[in-house]
mmCIF file of all heavy atoms in Angstrom:
data_model
loop_
_atom_site.group_PDB
_atom_site.id
_atom_site.type_symbol
_atom_site.label_atom_id
_atom_site.label_comp_id
_atom_site.label_asym_id
_atom_site.label_seq_id
_atom_site.Cartn_x
_atom_site.Cartn_y
_atom_site.Cartn_z
ATOM 1 N N MET G 887 118.782 70.273 108.013
ATOM 2 C CA MET G 887 118.204 70.610 109.314
ATOM 3 C C MET G 887 118.325 72.104 109.644
ATOM 4 O O MET G 887 117.342 72.704 110.079
ATOM 5 C CB MET G 887 118.837 69.752 110.423
ATOM 6 C CG MET G 887 118.394 68.299 110.369
ATOM 7 S SD MET G 887 116.606 68.092 110.389
ATOM 8 C CE MET G 887 116.227 68.667 112.016
ATOM 9 N N PRO G 888 119.484 72.741 109.457
ATOM 10 C CA PRO G 888 119.519 74.196 109.717
ATOM 11 C C PRO G 888 118.601 74.982 108.796
ATOM 12 O O PRO G 888 118.011 75.980 109.212
ATOM 13 C CB PRO G 888 120.993 74.561 109.481
ATOM 14 C CG PRO G 888 121.745 73.313 109.642
ATOM 15 C CD PRO G 888 120.822 72.222 109.194
ATOM 16 N N MET G 889 118.457 74.542 107.554
ATOM 17 C CA MET G 889 117.566 75.248 106.623
ATOM 18 C C MET G 889 116.112 75.123 107.061
ATOM 19 O O MET G 889 115.350 76.097 107.021
ATOM 20 C CB MET G 889 117.739 74.695 105.213
ATOM 21 C CG MET G 889 119.038 75.056 104.567
ATOM 22 S SD MET G 889 119.047 74.422 102.886
ATOM 23 C CE MET G 889 120.725 73.896 102.750
ATOM 24 N N VAL G 890 115.719 73.943 107.491
ATOM 25 C CA VAL G 890 114.348 73.730 107.956
ATOM 26 C C VAL G 890 114.114 74.546 109.220
ATOM 27 O O VAL G 890 113.080 75.200 109.373
ATOM 28 C CB VAL G 890 114.089 72.226 108.192
ATOM 29 C CG1 VAL G 890 112.778 71.993 108.904
ATOM 30 C CG2 VAL G 890 114.117 71.475 106.870
ATOM 31 N N ARG G 891 115.057 74.535 110.117
ATOM 32 C CA ARG G 891 114.926 75.312 111.357
ATOM 33 C C ARG G 891 114.814 76.808 111.051
ATOM 34 O O ARG G 891 114.014 77.522 111.640
ATOM 35 C CB ARG G 891 116.135 75.037 112.247
ATOM 36 C CG ARG G 891 116.256 75.891 113.469
ATOM 37 C CD ARG G 891 115.252 75.484 114.541
ATOM 38 N NE ARG G 891 115.173 76.462 115.586
ATOM 39 C CZ ARG G 891 115.814 76.394 116.734
ATOM 40 N NH1 ARG G 891 116.590 75.381 116.988
ATOM 41 N NH2 ARG G 891 115.648 77.334 117.626
ATOM 42 N N PHE G 892 115.611 77.283 110.109
ATOM 43 C CA PHE G 892 115.581 78.690 109.700
ATOM 44 C C PHE G 892 114.208 79.046 109.142
ATOM 45 O O PHE G 892 113.687 80.127 109.391
ATOM 46 C CB PHE G 892 116.666 78.931 108.642
ATOM 47 C CG PHE G 892 116.728 80.339 108.133
ATOM 48 C CD1 PHE G 892 117.376 81.316 108.863
ATOM 49 C CD2 PHE G 892 116.150 80.683 106.930
ATOM 50 C CE1 PHE G 892 117.441 82.617 108.398
ATOM 51 C CE2 PHE G 892 116.201 81.974 106.460
ATOM 52 C CZ PHE G 892 116.861 82.950 107.196
ATOM 53 N N ALA G 893 113.599 78.139 108.393
ATOM 54 C CA ALA G 893 112.320 78.427 107.749
ATOM 55 C C ALA G 893 111.154 78.393 108.729
ATOM 56 O O ALA G 893 110.230 79.198 108.621
ATOM 57 C CB ALA G 893 112.083 77.431 106.612
ATOM 58 N N ILE G 894 111.157 77.485 109.691
ATOM 59 C CA ILE G 894 109.983 77.351 110.550
ATOM 60 C C ILE G 894 110.133 78.012 111.915
ATOM 61 O O ILE G 894 109.161 78.132 112.645
ATOM 62 C CB ILE G 894 109.590 75.863 110.753
ATOM 63 C CG1 ILE G 894 110.672 75.114 111.518
ATOM 64 C CG2 ILE G 894 109.263 75.209 109.449
ATOM 65 C CD1 ILE G 894 110.249 73.730 111.956
ATOM 66 N N ASP G 895 111.320 78.491 112.264
ATOM 67 C CA ASP G 895 111.518 79.092 113.575
ATOM 68 C C ASP G 895 110.610 80.295 113.840
ATOM 69 O O ASP G 895 110.029 80.392 114.916
ATOM 70 C CB ASP G 895 112.985 79.470 113.771
ATOM 71 C CG ASP G 895 113.272 79.873 115.199
ATOM 72 O OD1 ASP G 895 112.886 79.115 116.109
ATOM 73 O OD2 ASP G 895 113.871 80.945 115.404
ATOM 74 N N PRO G 896 110.430 81.230 112.895
ATOM 75 C CA PRO G 896 109.526 82.353 113.182
ATOM 76 C C PRO G 896 108.086 81.916 113.440
ATOM 77 O O PRO G 896 107.376 82.557 114.205
ATOM 78 C CB PRO G 896 109.603 83.221 111.919
ATOM 79 C CG PRO G 896 110.902 82.868 111.301
ATOM 80 C CD PRO G 896 111.134 81.427 111.639
ATOM 81 N N VAL G 897 107.678 80.825 112.841
ATOM 82 C CA VAL G 897 106.317 80.332 113.045
ATOM 83 C C VAL G 897 106.159 79.804 114.464
ATOM 84 O O VAL G 897 105.097 79.927 115.073
ATOM 85 C CB VAL G 897 105.990 79.232 112.008
ATOM 86 C CG1 VAL G 897 104.634 78.619 112.265
ATOM 87 C CG2 VAL G 897 106.071 79.800 110.611
ATOM 88 N N LEU G 898 107.208 79.236 115.007
ATOM 89 C CA LEU G 898 107.146 78.635 116.333
ATOM 90 C C LEU G 898 107.337 79.636 117.464
ATOM 91 O O LEU G 898 107.081 79.312 118.622
ATOM 92 C CB LEU G 898 108.214 77.540 116.450
ATOM 93 C CG LEU G 898 108.083 76.386 115.448
ATOM 94 C CD1 LEU G 898 109.246 75.428 115.618
ATOM 95 C CD2 LEU G 898 106.763 75.675 115.595
ATOM 96 N N GLN G 899 107.778 80.845 117.153
ATOM 97 C CA GLN G 899 108.003 81.858 118.182
ATOM 98 C C GLN G 899 106.676 82.355 118.732
ATOM 99 O O GLN G 899 105.722 82.566 117.997
ATOM 100 C CB GLN G 899 108.785 83.049 117.619
ATOM 101 C CG GLN G 899 110.175 82.717 117.158
ATOM 102 C CD GLN G 899 111.093 82.337 118.300
ATOM 103 O OE1 GLN G 899 110.958 82.857 119.399
ATOM 104 N NE2 GLN G 899 112.003 81.430 118.039
ATOM 105 N N LYS G 900 106.623 82.577 120.036
ATOM 106 C CA LYS G 900 105.424 83.119 120.667
ATOM 107 C C LYS G 900 105.337 84.604 120.347
ATOM 108 O O LYS G 900 106.308 85.337 120.490
ATOM 109 C CB LYS G 900 105.474 82.906 122.168
ATOM 110 C CG LYS G 900 104.229 83.357 122.878
ATOM 111 C CD LYS G 900 104.296 83.077 124.350
ATOM 112 C CE LYS G 900 103.017 83.587 125.004
ATOM 113 N NZ LYS G 900 103.021 83.393 126.432
ATOM 114 N N LYS G 901 104.164 85.040 119.926
ATOM 115 C CA LYS G 901 103.971 86.444 119.556
ATOM 116 C C LYS G 901 102.910 87.064 120.450
ATOM 117 O O LYS G 901 101.940 86.425 120.824
ATOM 118 C CB LYS G 901 103.553 86.558 118.095
ATOM 119 C CG LYS G 901 104.633 86.104 117.145
ATOM 120 C CD LYS G 901 104.180 86.229 115.708
ATOM 121 C CE LYS G 901 105.243 85.801 114.754
ATOM 122 N NZ LYS G 901 105.645 84.436 114.821
ATOM 123 N N ASP G 902 103.107 88.339 120.772
ATOM 124 C CA ASP G 902 102.135 89.088 121.555
ATOM 125 C C ASP G 902 101.394 90.034 120.628
ATOM 126 O O ASP G 902 101.587 91.240 120.665
ATOM 127 C CB ASP G 902 102.824 89.883 122.662
ATOM 128 C CG ASP G 902 103.491 88.977 123.673
ATOM 129 O OD1 ASP G 902 102.988 87.865 123.873
ATOM 130 O OD2 ASP G 902 104.507 89.377 124.259
ATOM 131 N N GLY G 903 100.573 89.512 119.740
ATOM 132 C CA GLY G 903 99.861 90.347 118.785
ATOM 133 C C GLY G 903 98.638 90.983 119.408
ATOM 134 O O GLY G 903 98.032 90.464 120.338
ATOM 135 N N GLY G 904 98.247 92.131 118.881
ATOM 136 C CA GLY G 904 97.024 92.774 119.308
ATOM 137 C C GLY G 904 97.132 93.554 120.596
ATOM 138 O O GLY G 904 96.124 93.868 121.205
#
Side-chain angles (χ1 to χ4, degrees):
M887 288 306 293
M889 289 183 218
V890 170
R891 172 74 192 263
F892 180 81
I894 65 170
D895 190 50
V897 175
L898 300 176
Q899 296 292 327
K900 184 178 179 182
K901 295 180 179 63
D902 296 330

